[in-house]
Amino acid sequence: MFVQLIKPEFEELIEAKDWVALKEVLNDVPSADIADMLLELPGDIAVVVFRLLKKPIAADVFAEMPSSKGVELLELFNKQQLSDVMVNLEPDEQVSILEELPGHLTQRVMNSIRPEDQRQLKKLLGYPEESVGRLMTPRYVKVKSDWTISRSMAHIRNFGETAETINVIYVVDETEHLIDDLRITHLILADPDDHIESLMDRSFEALSVYDDQEEAVKMLAKYDRVALPVVDSDGVLVGIVTADDVIDVAEEETTEDMQKMAGMEVLDDYYSQTTVFGMVKKRVRWLILLFVGQMLTVTAMSSYESVLASAVLLSVFIPMIISSGGNSGSQAATLIIRALATDDIDSSDWPKILKREVMSGLMLGSLIGIIGVVITFAWGVFQGEMMDQALFLTSLTIGLSLLGVILFGNLSGSMLPFILTKFNLDPAVTSAPFVATLVDVTGIIIYFSIAILLLSGTLL
Amino acid sequence: MFVQLIKPEFEELIEAKDWVALKEVLNDVPSADIADMLLELPGDIAVVVFRLLKKPIAADVFAEMPSSKGVELLELFNKQQLSDVMVNLEPDEQVSILEELPGHLTQRVMNSIRPEDQRQLKKLLGYPEESVGRLMTPRYVKVKSDWTISRSMAHIRNFGETAETINVIYVVDETEHLIDDLRITHLILADPDDHIESLMDRSFEALSVYDDQEEAVKMLAKYDRVALPVVDSDGVLVGIVTADDVIDVAEEETTEDMQKMAGMEVLDDYYSQTTVFGMVKKRVRWLILLFVGQMLTVTAMSSYESVLASAVLLSVFIPMIISSGGNSGSQAATLIIRALATDDIDSSDWPKILKREVMSGLMLGSLIGIIGVVITFAWGVFQGEMMDQALFLTSLTIGLSLLGVILFGNLSGSMLPFILTKFNLDPAVTSAPFVATLVDVTGIIIYFSIAILLLSGTLL
């Protein structure tokens, strides 16, 4: 990539403090790549490099950086620099910066923004976090239905430059209610003297300003649009959400889901921007919770201590059996969580899924169970330490336990996400470690119950 | 949502076979919602409903359906219906249908496409699977640098209707090499007698036709564009990739990563469209592999059978200890895999990550270890079954084992993705179950080694 070519030169010029040459070089580098390079510089030098950038470029570069680095730089900017950067940001970018600011900076940054933009910004910040309201931009082009095409085109020429997209033009009535969306191509192709009315079909898809941002991801993916209009509860057009902003949201949402599914809290920032201590904080609570949950396996095991004492051999297979249940549970949980997240299934589908997963649990469990019987029997013969009948019954115990544990793992992995949804919790909290812990306890009880049933009189 | 309102009416009309009224109703329903409703109908009825749709709508609906349902319908279409649907699809949609077709259908479907489109299609299908070439569309607008603005606008009016986006217009030289991209707003705002040349800055970002589709996701997210041009190895413009197509790719890639991370093979279709048997097939191989891997824990455990026989109590803590290592390993693996997938870190960062994860492993391990000592000591006192010194030493054994196992889990979880990358394998294959199995074996060895060291002479 281009940035790999420019990076050594960039670092050399910074080393040499040759700001004039650096300014020249930076002219040709895309903003996202400048952001990448600045990320690795200490704040005081990054601020100097910032001063070399043209104002709109500086804002672009700033918008591309992770928020923690942005905050660090804002602290170091002087008043003029602060204002240059903030004024040149898109409103949705200003919102996402302000969301992350520590208290003492908020007022300083707010003051650096034009008064008319401040009002708009305060309104955007009034919408709930993670809502479409925080993601949308008020920079779109709208026309009225009684305008002629030529008046509309003149309007687009005037206001299109600052719009995030002009692929779609929005039609509103006298009270600003959204009544249609039109592709720009239709306007370009139409007779200049025709009215907007003549192009309208009054059919459109819109997001609500209070919708979750995930809804924006789903709708844009579903309807294959480059942008979707956003309306308030009265149907008044208040902004648009563009596909490129939504890609970032989708990536973030997925990262959050994955972190929850791994049995930890969601990081506030990128992995690379999180300190070791910050990382430990996000991980430790779940680790402790799961650890305490494992005291149940200790209790379960100790209640079978007399069984263990009379047949130590049984304990040898415990990790194998409980982990097989955890594995099938982690597969099932991931499949269901992802299918729910992508709207492939919805929460009312649970009875159908239950039936499916009972079936696949039985199939997987039988298969692994049979393999288990064969392998443990072979292993026992190889070790040569048991009489034939006891060996056969032990193998059978292991096979049946595997069936039970894998079936139970499959059921709890697939049903827990639905149960969480029922209680309005995020299904992604059904983490692999959580399911595994649940299955560990149950697996021990299943294993010993079957062992007592089958082995009383022989091994026990 | 709208579809919820229309669905009962839709089902009633199908029940009553009232095709005339149904045709009326379907006129107002967005294609994606029709696709959702058709998905639940048997193929023979879905084909009838298809006949009621206007041709371009029918193609849209078809493009929205999962490929397995699409193939089912193609089998049932007559020649005219086949041609109506295929001809109205975008080239990138045609490609994604053809990719999935069973052999006997390919030729029939190919024949239904216009000869001039067939040539284009065969070219697109010549690019590797998962490459940008398969994702791009040849429907963009390009102009020459010596054209006037007014000539360019006339060109856009002629060809813009079929383009996927006209937000960006591409400038090529006489030999079709891409030399710049221009926002449509610049053209609209410019003097009609000016030349394209006067608007150009000759700075643009482009994808290569052989790039992996993931690269398209990353570039569009990074550079915040609604579309990116695609060039071949000579720099000739061959297509564009739009952000809305990329959202679908990003979602699919993520689903695939998650399935791999759950310890299974990637499904060929949506969860809801996969049969129970198909699902079992994708899951069973990894389950068997992990099960066989667990024979190592059996072997490890049995090599300590004499220790177990003299202190049955030790076996009681095994699930707790090994699962704690698995939990920290699953957290670390997920963090690293996702950070690699989103370009937050790259494969050369491993020494830095190793240092970080040794530190966080030590912190997490010490903390859980201390909690472990306290809890097991309290648990032992409560059970009242041990002499004081043995209880203290057992608690210490557990605490130290937890430290060791959590540290090891953290290291293997964070380093395995790098090792897989090194061997050109997908880091996402580092599944939680895989790490857990690895940690189970090591955990048992760590635990018993410490136990033998500390407890010889007391419990042992």
Side-chain angles (χ1 to χ4, degrees):
Chain A
M1 298 245 327
F2 180 61
V3 64
Q4 302 302 333
L5 294 172
I6 203 82
K7 215 170 151 189
E9 190 183 354
F10 178 78
E11 281 162 359
E12 220 169 81
L13 290 172
I14 286 185
E15 193 73 31
K17 296 191 194 302
D18 187 348
W19 308 127
V20 181
L22 188 60
K23 188 170 178 174
E24 200 65 31
V25 169
L26 287 175
N27 261 337
D28 297 327
V29 184
S31 308
D33 293 328
I34 301 181
D36 274 359
M37 294 191 292
L38 285 182
L39 213 54
E40 294 171 17
L41 293 179
D44 51 340
I45 296 185
V47 167
V48 176
V49 176
F50 246 95
R51 238 169 259 155
L52 305 175
L53 301 169
K54 289 179 194 150
K55 286 177 199 174
I57 304 287
D60 260 12
V61 169
F62 191 81
E64 293 289 344
M65 289 193 302
S67 52
S68 58
K69 189 76 182 181
V71 171
E72 185 193 332
L73 285 174
L74 284 178
E75 301 255 24
L76 297 166
F77 281 167
N78 61 32
K79 209 175 154 206
Q80 185 56 45
Q81 235 176 340
L82 198 61
S83 152
D84 285 348
V85 165
M86 289 307 291
V87 165
N88 281 293
L89 289 175
E90 297 287 324
D92 52 335
E93 292 163 349
Q94 291 175 340
V95 167
S96 88
I97 298 287
L98 280 162
E99 276 175 339
E100 304 291 336
L101 283 188
H104 67 279
L105 262 179
T106 314
Q107 202 49 49
R108 241 188 92 202
V109 171
M110 260 299 184
N111 289 341
S112 74
I113 298 170
R114 278 187 299 257
E116 65 269 30
D117 289 347
Q118 277 184 30
R119 269 192 305 278
Q120 198 178 54
L121 210 56
K122 280 180 185 151
K123 195 166 158 216
L124 293 179
L125 281 166
Y127 296 114
E129 271 184 61
E130 307 284 310
S131 74
V132 165
R134 293 273 186 109
L135 182 66
M136 70 184 183
T137 169
R139 300 200 172 162
Y140 53 88
V141 181
K142 63 187 174 196
V143 297
K144 298 267 159 75
S145 59
D146 57 354
W147 288 7
T148 60
I149 304 293
S150 65
R151 178 175 174 189
S152 304
M153 288 302 290
H155 181 78
I156 294 166
R157 269 184 214 104
N158 282 336
F159 296 97
E161 181 62 24
T162 56
E164 277 214 16
T165 180
I166 59 162
N167 253 8
V168 188
I169 306 296
Y170 301 93
V171 188
V172 293
D173 64 13
E174 320 73 53
T175 48
E176 301 290 321
H177 292 86
L178 179 64
I179 49 179
D180 207 356
D181 53 0
L182 297 174
R183 283 195 54 151
I184 184 81
T185 38
H186 289 127
L187 271 79
I188 292 181
L189 293 170
D191 181 336
D193 295 329
D194 272 356
H195 286 82
I196 290 290
E197 187 69 53
S198 66
L199 300 178
M200 287 169 58
D201 66 357
R202 291 180 187 266
S203 136
F204 58 88
E205 294 300 321
L207 287 161
S208 150
V209 76
Y210 292 107
D211 278 343
D212 196 281
Q213 296 184 357
E214 272 185 67
E215 187 60 28
V217 177
K218 288 178 189 169
M219 293 247 313
L220 276 161
K222 183 170 176 186
Y223 296 108
D224 284 336
R225 302 287 168 85
V226 289
L228 275 173
V230 182
V231 296
D232 67 11
S233 46
D234 294 326
V236 169
L237 179 63
V238 289
I240 63 168
V241 168
T242 55
D244 52 314
D245 292 337
V246 160
I247 294 178
D248 297 338
V249 172
E251 296 267 291
E252 261 170 54
E253 297 276 350
T254 308
T255 303
E256 288 179 11
D257 273 3
M258 285 189 177
Q259 287 168 356
K260 286 183 205 152
M261 289 162 77
M264 56 177 292
E265 292 164 61
V266 170
L267 298 185
D268 299 323
D269 207 336
Y270 294 102
Y271 173 84
S272 64
Q273 303 295 313
T274 307
T275 61
V276 172
F277 192 69
M279 189 71 71
V280 167
K281 256 175 67 183
K282 294 293 179 185
R283 294 174 57 178
V284 76
R285 258 189 290 217
W286 267 102
L287 281 186
I288 292 176
L289 198 75
L290 293 165
F291 175 76
V292 172
Q294 280 288 343
M295 284 313 289
L296 290 174
T297 65
V298 174
T299 312
M301 292 276 284
S302 71
S303 72
Y304 295 110
E305 223 176 311
S306 61
V307 180
L308 277 172
S310 54
V312 171
L313 179 73
L314 283 181
S315 69
V316 163
F317 299 101
I318 289 175
M320 176 183 82
I321 289 172
I322 60 181
S323 83
S324 295
N327 294 343
S328 89
S330 124
Q331 290 180 339
T334 303
L335 284 167
I336 300 300
I337 293 169
R338 187 63 184 160
L340 283 169
T342 54
D343 269 358
D344 179 26
I345 57 176
D346 67 50
S347 53
S348 65
D349 288 335
W350 72 265
K352 204 167 65 191
I353 310 281
L354 178 64
K355 222 177 80 191
R356 282 179 68 122
E357 294 304 330
V358 167
M359 272 162 50
S360 63
L362 284 173
M363 286 163 78
L364 291 167
S366 313
L367 197 74
I368 307 280
I370 291 168
I371 298 175
V373 171
V374 173
I375 288 190
T376 43
F377 194 85
W379 183 84
V381 170
F382 180 74
Q383 301 256 319
E385 64 179 27
M386 263 191 293
M387 51 181 184
D388 285 353
Q389 199 207 348
L391 175 58
F392 175 73
L393 286 174
T394 307
S395 303
L396 196 63
T397 301
I398 287 163
L400 288 174
S401 302
L402 283 169
L403 169 59
V405 167
I406 287 172
L407 179 60
F408 180 80
N410 219 34
L411 287 187
S412 43
S414 55
M415 289 301 118
L416 263 174
F418 287 107
I419 295 171
L420 290 174
T421 310
K422 184 87 190 161
F423 289 102
N424 284 320
L425 295 168
D426 186 341
V429 175
T430 317
S431 54
F434 183 68
V435 174
T437 300
L438 187 69
V439 176
D440 281 356
V441 186
T442 334
I444 286 165
I445 296 171
I446 293 174
Y447 179 45
F448 281 103
S449 305
I450 295 176
I452 291 170
L453 208 69
L454 291 187
L455 298 176
S456 290
T458 52
L459 265 188
L460 301 180
Chain B
M1 295 248 324
F2 181 60
V3 66
Q4 301 303 332
L5 295 172
I6 204 81
K7 216 173 154 188
E9 191 183 352
F10 178 78
E11 282 162 1
E12 222 168 82
L13 291 172
I14 287 186
E15 193 74 31
K17 297 194 195 303
D18 186 349
W19 307 128
V20 182
L22 188 60
K23 187 170 179 175
E24 199 66 29
V25 169
L26 287 176
N27 261 336
D28 297 328
V29 184
S31 308
D33 295 326
I34 301 182
D36 275 358
M37 295 191 294
L38 286 182
L39 213 52
E40 295 171 17
L41 294 179
D44 50 341
I45 297 187
V47 167
V48 176
V49 177
F50 246 95
R51 241 171 258 153
L52 305 175
L53 300 170
K54 289 178 192 151
K55 286 175 198 174
I57 304 288
D60 259 13
V61 169
F62 191 83
E64 292 289 344
M65 289 193 303
S67 52
S68 59
K69 188 77 183 178
V71 171
E72 185 193 333
L73 286 174
L74 284 178
E75 300 256 22
L76 296 165
F77 282 166
N78 60 31
K79 209 177 155 203
Q80 185 57 45
Q81 236 177 337
L82 199 62
S83 153
D84 285 348
V85 165
M86 290 307 292
V87 165
N88 280 292
L89 289 175
E90 297 286 325
D92 51 336
E93 292 162 349
Q94 292 175 339
V95 167
S96 86
I97 298 286
L98 280 162
E99 276 176 340
E100 304 291 336
L101 283 188
H104 67 280
L105 264 178
T106 314
Q107 202 49 49
R108 242 188 92 202
V109 171
M110 260 300 187
N111 289 341
S112 72
I113 297 171
R114 281 187 297 257
E116 66 266 33
D117 290 347
Q118 278 184 31
R119 268 193 305 281
Q120 199 178 51
L121 210 54
K122 280 180 185 149
K123 196 169 159 213
L124 293 179
L125 281 165
Y127 296 115
E129 271 184 61
E130 307 285 309
S131 74
V132 164
R134 292 274 186 109
L135 182 66
M136 69 184 183
T137 170
R139 300 200 171 163
Y140 53 87
V141 181
K142 61 186 175 195
V143 296
K144 298 267 160 77
S145 59
D146 56 355
W147 289 7
T148 59
I149 303 293
S150 65
R151 176 174 175 193
S152 304
M153 287 302 289
H155 181 78
I156 294 167
R157 270 186 212 102
N158 281 338
F159 296 97
E161 183 62 22
T162 56
E164 278 214 17
T165 181
I166 59 161
N167 255 7
V168 188
I169 306 296
Y170 300 94
V171 188
V172 294
D173 64 14
E174 320 71 53
T175 48
E176 300 291 320
H177 292 86
L178 178 64
I179 49 177
D180 207 356
D181 54 0
L182 296 175
R183 285 195 52 152
I184 182 80
T185 39
H186 290 128
L187 271 78
I188 293 181
L189 293 169
D191 183 333
D193 296 329
D194 271 356
H195 286 80
I196 290 289
E197 185 69 52
S198 67
L199 300 177
M200 288 168 58
D201 67 356
R202 289 177 190 266
S203 135
F204 59 88
E205 293 302 319
L207 288 161
S208 152
V209 76
Y210 292 107
D211 279 343
D212 195 281
Q213 295 183 357
E214 271 185 68
E215 187 63 27
V217 177
K218 286 177 190 169
M219 291 246 316
L220 275 161
K222 182 170 174 185
Y223 295 110
D224 284 335
R225 302 287 169 86
V226 289
L228 276 173
V230 181
V231 295
D232 68 10
S233 47
D234 293 326
V236 169
L237 180 63
V238 288
I240 63 168
V241 168
T242 56
D244 52 316
D245 292 336
V246 160
I247 294 179
D248 297 339
V249 172
E251 297 267 291
E252 261 169 55
E253 297 275 350
T254 309
T255 302
E256 288 178 12
D257 273 3
M258 283 188 177
Q259 288 168 355
K260 287 182 205 153
M261 287 162 77
M264 56 178 291
E265 289 162 61
V266 170
L267 298 184
D268 299 323
D269 206 334
Y270 294 103
Y271 174 85
S272 65
Q273 304 294 313
T274 307
T275 60
V276 172
F277 192 69
M279 189 70 72
V280 167
K281 257 176 65 185
K282 293 295 178 183
R283 293 174 58 179
V284 75
R285 256 189 290 216
W286 266 102
L287 281 185
I288 293 176
L289 198 74
L290 292 166
F291 176 76
V292 172
Q294 280 289 342
M295 285 311 289
L296 290 174
T297 66
V298 174
T299 311
M301 289 277 284
S302 71
S303 73
Y304 295 111
E305 224 177 308
S306 61
V307 180
L308 276 171
S310 53
V312 171
L313 179 74
L314 282 182
S315 70
V316 163
F317 300 101
I318 288 174
M320 176 183 83
I321 288 172
I322 61 182
S323 83
S324 296
N327 294 343
S328 88
S330 126
Q331 291 181 338
T334 304
L335 284 167
I336 299 301
I337 292 168
R338 187 64 185 159
L340 282 169
T342 54
D343 269 359
D344 178 28
I345 56 177
D346 68 48
S347 53
S348 64
D349 288 334
W350 72 267
K352 204 167 62 189
I353 310 280
L354 179 64
K355 223 178 80 190
R356 283 180 67 122
E357 294 304 329
V358 167
M359 268 161 56
S360 63
L362 284 173
M363 285 165 79
L364 291 168
S366 312
L367 197 73
I368 306 282
I370 290 168
I371 297 175
V373 170
V374 172
I375 287 190
T376 42
F377 195 85
W379 183 84
V381 170
F382 179 77
Q383 301 256 317
E385 67 179 22
M386 262 192 295
M387 52 179 183
D388 286 353
Q389 202 207 347
L391 175 58
F392 174 72
L393 286 176
T394 307
S395 302
L396 195 62
T397 301
I398 288 164
L400 288 174
S401 302
L402 283 168
L403 169 59
V405 167
I406 288 173
L407 179 60
F408 180 78
N410 219 35
L411 286 187
S412 41
S414 56
M415 289 300 117
L416 261 175
F418 288 107
I419 294 170
L420 290 175
T421 310
K422 185 84 191 165
F423 289 102
N424 283 321
L425 296 166
D426 186 341
V429 175
T430 317
S431 56
F434 184 69
V435 174
T437 301
L438 187 70
V439 175
D440 280 356
V441 187
T442 334
I444 287 164
I445 297 171
I446 293 175
Y447 178 45
F448 281 103
S449 305
I450 294 177
I452 291 170
L453 207 70
L454 291 186
L455 297 176
S456 291
T458 53
L459 267 188
L460 302 179

